[in-house]
Amino acid sequence: ALNASGPRWSPDGQLLASGDRVGNIKLWLIRDGTLLDTFKAHNSEVESVAFSPDGSKLATGSGEGNVRLWDVATRQEIGAPMSSGLASVEAVAFSPDGATVAAGSSDGTVQLWDATTQSEVGTTMTAGPAAIKALAFGPGGKILAAGGKDGDVRLWDTATQSQPGATMATEAP
């Protein structure tokens, strides 16, 4: 079965990546539906996947509470896992320049990681009690939107890690 976040397209539209419940990543060649590779990424369910803007890296988040980076061409892990603590990583996203990876967790927190050094950038941001199910950087990478399971969307200034505005409720009270 596919992960909750579903498959993700590579930026060039040539590949599709998906994760499964036992920690595998599958890479598909879109032009003819060929399964290019299946590789073990985590020891628990892969909750989220995201390609870097240039398509060379894949970030994966898991139920075991970490984010891993992969070289798409070689399928080899890049560096060490980035730990979010004990919470499941439900969403991952790359900034538009590929320099930062955002991770949203089941405990309602968001962390930013340097994609090169794999060190945490700033401090953990608490978005609320609901699991973070979706992340999206704005076009310039200065704003990050975090969508919670409760239907709320919060915007974060990535430099100051503060909320520049009110929480946006997408569901009626």
Side-chain angles (χ1 to χ4, degrees):
L2 289 177
N3 57 353
S5 68
R8 296 290 183 247
W9 292 94
S10 62
D12 65 5
Q14 301 299 309
L15 299 175
L16 193 70
S18 65
D20 68 20
R21 293 178 190 215
V22 295
N24 295 317
I25 298 293
K26 293 185 179 194
L27 289 176
W28 304 88
L29 188 58
I30 296 302
R31 74 171 174 254
D32 60 9
T34 300
L35 177 61
L36 287 178
D37 201 359
T38 300
F39 62 95
K40 188 73 168 177
H42 295 274
N43 293 319
S44 67
E45 183 170 2
V46 176
E47 299 285 350
S48 53
V49 296
F51 280 96
S52 62
D54 67 2
S56 68
K57 295 177 187 159
L58 187 69
T60 60
S62 75
E64 63 198 13
N66 63 40
V67 176
R68 294 175 186 247
L69 294 181
W70 303 92
D71 181 300
V72 173
T74 66
R75 278 49 131 204
Q76 296 298 307
E77 187 171 6
I78 301 168
M82 297 171 279
S83 177
S84 70
L86 298 176
S88 174
V89 176
E90 305 283 320
V92 291
F94 275 94
S95 61
D97 63 3
T100 305
V101 177
S105 298
S106 60
D107 64 0
T109 60
V110 176
Q111 292 174 295
L112 300 177
W113 299 91
D114 182 299
T116 302
T117 66
Q118 294 166 315
S119 57
E120 190 173 1
V121 177
T123 60
T124 299
M125 299 172 280
T126 301
I132 303 300
K133 301 303 277 181
L135 292 169
F137 281 91
K142 296 182 187 311
I143 301 292
L144 176 68
K149 189 174 181 178
D150 59 0
D152 289 348
V153 175
R154 291 171 177 82
L155 299 180
W156 295 92
D157 180 309
T158 58
T160 64
Q161 296 181 324
S162 62
Q163 289 184 270
T167 297
M168 297 173 281
T170 60
E171 297 182 9

